[in-house]
Structures are given as structure tokens and as C-alpha cells.
């Protein structure tokens, strides 16, 4: 790939927790899966809705128009028009995969809020990945990339899937550069994007271009209008849900402009998480304290980015909220509270920048451009 409601630290995307197969007895529901009505949530909407806006701004800040690379991140990688244009082409180009049938957009569909809607994504020759594909929208705010935080920046992250044998399966960096050098249109595009480089076509520059493009994948929502002072931007129920979200301590982890992504947290902090096969950040650090620790996800667009959790455990947002309260806080939330919190989470669905993400015309193959390799 630190809270209180840790609500979706663990919106660690994916599908269903467990299903009874043919001839199997249905599993006994966990406590949070048993219905609890709660009291008067509908009538509490107005009375619970008034939080101090100044305090909320301290928790959430302001959503930026873009996420510039911070000092020390990939030599700053300043965003330029030429770099973004190149990054957009590379994001959609399937020639960066061994069989030329996969691109960044195959698993992180930009017109689908940056996800593919599956428990785990299919890669080279239909191989299945080990974790749910997180959204790329607003990912520039993250403290680290991937669920286990093994990549420090968007630029570092962009390098990984292309060479992963389960994903895009290219042999090595040199092989990727060799393909790009056979495509005449890329020679000019890299020169424009990196005019001071003696050898502009490089794997590092590929990553910088994709990173620059992704740093402007930002999705403002009605919540931002509310934070700017428009109290009519959210309904009474959504404001009640925001109140309960804060009161339950969710902002301990889901804070900042991206409502998450700025910290790591253990999944199953109070009540152990059933799936212990994936140990999260431990696989990176080999430290016992990092077992079952994952990077907290953003809650922006969360209603559109299921299934949730790193292992695809839940396909309903309501159940995901209940699970977070149960595993992270040891609480069993009333149905009414869950409904209000879910209403608030839906207000975080933002506007997809359709013009910005429009697939560009990709440069044509050259005479020496290799064809697909399905092996």
C-alpha cells in the first residue's frame, strides 16, 4: 500500500467476503452483518449536521487543482504541457505491454473513476493480480503508492506494472525503451517533453511523463463546494453522515484533501481481519509490526470504486462501512448511522475531467516496431 473509524483504510477494494458454495453450509454472519436499527437517524440529520467549518477545514484542507511533485520526489518533476501530453499517450498505449493488449488504462479506466470494477485485475495471458487495483484519481496526495507503499511516488509506481510478469510483462527497461525508439512519433514527443536531455527517450522519462499526467487527475465534488461555504451543497442526511464520520474518528486516517492516503494502518486493529494471507506492508519491510498494515486509501469517489478492500472483500459500500467499524473500532454501527455515513461518502463522488482524459491519437508504428508477443 491511525484512524478511528478507519472507515475505509481498508476500502481495500474487491469483491465478496465469502460465499457459500454448492453443498456448503452458509457461514454464520459476523456481528456487524446482523441488522441493528439505531434510533431516529432521519430526524437527527439536521441536529447533527452543524460542525464547525473551520475545524473541518483543518481536517480536510482544500483540494488542489493538481498535485505537484514535492521536494525530493523524482527531482521535482515539474508539470509541463508537453510532458502531460506525452504521459497521456503513454497511459493509453498498449505497446508498453508484451502482448500489446494492455495499458495503464486497462486496469485503471479513467472514464470509470480510475478502476476496473473487478476484485483483482487480469494481466498478461489472463493472469490474475494479487490485489485490487486502486484508483489513480487524486493519487498524487498519497504518502506512497500501491497498497503496501512499495513505491514512493507516482513516477516510481508507473515503472512497476510495465515490468511485472503478471501484469504488462515487458522483459526489462531496455526492452521498453527499444520499442519506443522504433515509433517515430515518440521521438519528437519525448524531445518536446524533455528538451534538455541528451537522450530524451528513457525509462525514467517515461515514468516522469506518466506521473505528470496523473498528477492532474483530480476530481472536485459537492463536498468541496460545501467546504468552500455552500451549505446547500450537501443534503441534511449527507451532513449528518459527515458529522458521524467525524465523531467516530474517521478523520484520524481519512483526512487531508484526499480524505486518506497520507498514512498506513493495520487492518484488523481491534477485531482480526479474516483474510490473513496477504500481510501487506510486511512483504516490503519484513518487520513484524507491519503485518496486515496497508496504506489508507482515499475516500474520494469511493462509492464508484468498489469492490472494496485490498482483497476485494466487499461489494456493498454499506457492508464495507460496517466492517471497518467492526474490525478497526470494535463497534457495531446501527443501520441508520451506516446509511448516513454512506450518504456522506457518496457526496465525495467527483467530476471526471472528460476532456483531460480523452484518449489521444497515438503515434503509428515504425518499420521496426515489434508486434505482439503472447508467450
Amino acid at each position: 500500500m491511525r484512524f478511528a473509524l478507519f472507515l475505509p483504510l481498508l476500502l481495500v477494494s474487491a469483491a465478496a467476503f465469502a460465499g457459500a458454495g454448492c453443498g456448503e453450509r452458509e457461514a454464520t454472519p459476523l456481528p456487524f452483518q446482523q441488522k441493528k436499527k439505531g434510533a431516529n437517524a432521519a430526524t437527527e440529520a439536521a441536529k447533527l449536521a452543524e460542525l464547525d467549518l473551520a475545524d473541518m477545514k483543518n481536517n480536510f484542507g482544500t483540494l488542489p487543482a493538481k498535485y505537484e511533485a514535492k521536494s525530493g520526489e523524482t527531482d521535482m518533476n515539474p508539470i509541463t504541457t508537453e510532458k502531460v501530453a506525452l504521459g497521456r499517450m503513454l497511459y493509453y498505449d498498449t505497446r508498453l505491454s508484451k502482448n500489446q493488449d494492455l495499458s495503464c488504462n486497462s486496469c485503471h479506466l479513467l472514464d470509470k473513476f480510475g478502476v476496473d470494477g473487478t476484485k483483482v485485475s487480469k494481466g498478461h495471458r489472463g493472469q490474475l493480480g494479487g490485489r485490487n487495483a486502486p484508483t489513480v484519481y487524486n493519487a498524487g496526495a498519497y504518502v506512497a503508492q500501491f497498497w503496501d507503499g512499495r513505491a514512493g511516488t507516482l513516477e516510481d509506481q508507473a515503472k512497476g506494472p510495465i515490468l511485472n510478469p503478471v501484469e504488462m510483462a515487458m522483459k526489462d527497461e531496455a526492452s521498453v525503451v527499444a520499442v519506443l525508439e522504433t515509433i517515430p512519433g515518440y521521438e519528437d514527443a519525448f524531445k518536446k517533453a524533455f528538451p534538455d536531455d541528451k537522450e530524451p527517450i528513457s525509462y525514467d522519462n517515461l515514468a516522469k511523463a506518466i506521473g505528470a499526467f496523473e498528477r492532474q487527475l483530480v476530481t472536485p465534488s459537492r463536498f468541496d463546494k460545501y467546504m468552500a461555504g455552500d451549505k446547500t451543497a450537501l443534503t441534511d442526511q449527507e451532513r449528518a453522515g459527515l458529522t458521524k464520520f467525524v465523531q467516530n474518528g474517521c478523520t484520524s486516517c481519512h483526512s487531508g484533501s484526499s480524505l486518506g492516503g497520507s498514512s498506513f494502518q493495520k487492518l484488523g486493529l481491534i477485531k482480526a481481519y479474516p483474510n490473513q494471507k496477504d500481510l501487506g506492508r510486511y512483504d516490503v519491510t519484513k518487520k513484524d509490526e507491519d503485518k496486515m498494515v496497508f496504506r489508507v486509501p482515499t475516500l474520494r469517489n469511493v462509492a464508484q470504486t468498489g469492490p472494496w478492500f485490498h482483497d476485494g472483500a466487499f461489494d456493498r459500500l454499506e457492508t464495507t462501512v460496517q466492517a471497518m467499524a467492526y474490525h478497526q473500532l470494535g463497534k457495531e454501527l446501527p443501520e441508520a448511522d451506516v446509511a448516513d455515513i454512506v450518504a456522506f461518502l457518496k457526496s465525495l463522488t467527483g467530476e471526471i475531467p472528460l476532456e483531460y482524459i480523452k484518449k489521444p491519437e497515438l503515434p503509428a508504428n515504425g518499420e521496426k516496431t515489434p508486434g505482439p508477443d503472447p508467450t
Side-chain angles (χ1 to χ4, degrees):
M1 336 298 265
R2 270 186 166 175
F3 349 146
L5 180 49
F6 303 103
L7 190 51
L9 140 58
L10 311 169
L11 282 168
V12 170
S13 290
F17 212 12
C22 293
E24 297 178 358
R25 267 190 338 182
E26 188 170 343
T28 301
L30 291 170
F32 71 81
Q33 294 171 312
Q34 300 171 10
K35 294 183 177 180
K36 296 182 178 294
K37 291 186 177 180
N40 302 319
T43 58
E44 286 178 357
K47 117 178 142 178
L48 289 177
E50 296 303 328
L51 290 173
D52 188 281
L53 194 57
D55 287 343
M56 284 200 296
K57 286 182 178 179
N58 289 333
N59 278 327
F60 301 119
T62 302
L63 184 70
K66 56 186 175 182
Y67 292 99
E68 291 279 9
K70 299 174 185 176
S71 178
E73 289 185 352
T74 319
D75 299 326
M76 293 295 287
N77 191 29
I79 298 172
T80 66
T81 301
E82 295 78 12
K83 204 180 292 182
V84 168
L86 172 59
R88 184 183 293 110
M89 288 191 289
L90 294 168
Y91 191 94
Y92 283 101
D93 203 327
T94 59
R95 289 169 293 188
L96 298 182
S97 66
K98 185 177 182 181
N99 197 35
Q100 299 189 2
D101 57 351
L102 297 168
S103 69
C104 302
N105 195 62
S106 297
C107 299
H108 304 280
L109 285 73
L110 296 181
D111 61 347
K112 303 293 184 183
F113 290 93
V115 299
D116 61 5
T118 64
K119 182 174 183 177
V120 291
S121 303
K122 287 184 178 180
H124 183 61
R125 300 186 66 178
Q127 297 177 89
L128 295 178
R131 293 174 181 150
N132 177 268
T135 179
V136 292
Y137 279 106
N138 308 293
Y142 294 172
V143 65
Q145 303 297 320
F146 295 112
W147 285 114
D148 55 19
R150 65 184 181 273
T153 66
L154 285 172
E155 291 78 10
D156 293 335
Q157 187 279 333
K159 296 179 179 181
I162 297 172
L163 305 183
N164 189 317
V166 175
E167 298 182 54
M168 297 168 76
M170 291 295 281
K171 180 181 178 181
D172 51 35
E173 295 181 8
S175 300
V176 179
V177 171
V179 171
L180 293 172
E181 288 177 338
T182 69
I183 302 172
Y186 272 132
E187 181 178 2
D188 183 56
F190 271 89
K191 284 182 179 179
K192 288 180 178 178
F194 302 97
D196 298 328
D197 287 20
K198 291 182 180 179
E199 296 182 3
I201 299 181
S202 70
Y203 201 65
D204 282 346
N205 284 347
L206 170 150
K208 287 181 179 180
I210 293 175
F213 170 64
E214 291 181 338
R215 287 182 179 280
Q216 294 189 121
L217 293 175
V218 182
T219 55
S221 68
R222 288 187 293 113
F223 174 69
D224 299 293
K225 293 179 180 179
Y226 180 77
M227 292 297 294
D230 181 1
K231 291 189 176 182
T232 67
L234 299 185
T235 66
D236 283 347
Q237 186 182 21
E238 289 166 346
R239 288 189 292 147
L242 170 58
T243 301
K244 292 172 183 178
F245 181 85
V246 174
Q247 289 176 338
N248 275 289
C250 307
T251 54
S252 296
C253 289
H254 293 285
S255 58
S257 65
S258 196
L259 284 87
S262 61
S263 62
F264 293 91
Q265 183 54 263
K266 180 179 180 179
L267 175 53
L269 187 67
I270 305 300
K271 301 284 188 179
Y273 189 66
N275 180 5
Q276 297 281 318
K277 294 179 180 179
D278 185 345
L279 296 179
R281 190 154 173 75
Y282 172 80
D283 293 339
V284 177
T285 68
K286 302 304 179 185
K287 295 179 179 179
D288 285 343
E289 59 266 31
D290 284 335
K291 288 182 178 179
M292 294 304 296
V293 169
F294 296 87
R295 191 209 67 232
V296 180
T298 176
L299 296 187
R300 286 189 175 274
N301 305 308
V302 66
Q304 303 295 326
T305 55
W308 297 275
F309 282 46
H310 68 289
D311 58 354
F314 299 98
D315 58 5
R316 293 185 65 247
L317 189 54
E318 291 81 0
T319 313
T320 305
V321 170
Q322 291 172 321
M324 283 301 90
Y326 179 75
H327 291 295
Q328 301 308 119
L329 294 178
K331 290 184 177 182
E332 299 170 30
L333 293 180
E335 284 184 333
D337 288 4
V338 172
D340 289 347
I341 290 172
V342 167
F344 162 63
L345 294 177
K346 289 180 178 180
S347 78
L348 300 175
T349 299
E351 304 164 13
I352 292 178
L354 295 176
E355 190 61 33
Y356 183 75
I357 67 168
K358 186 176 180 181
K359 183 178 180 178
E361 182 178 352
L362 301 180
N365 286 346
E367 293 181 1
K368 296 183 179 180
T369 303
D373 181 356
T375 62

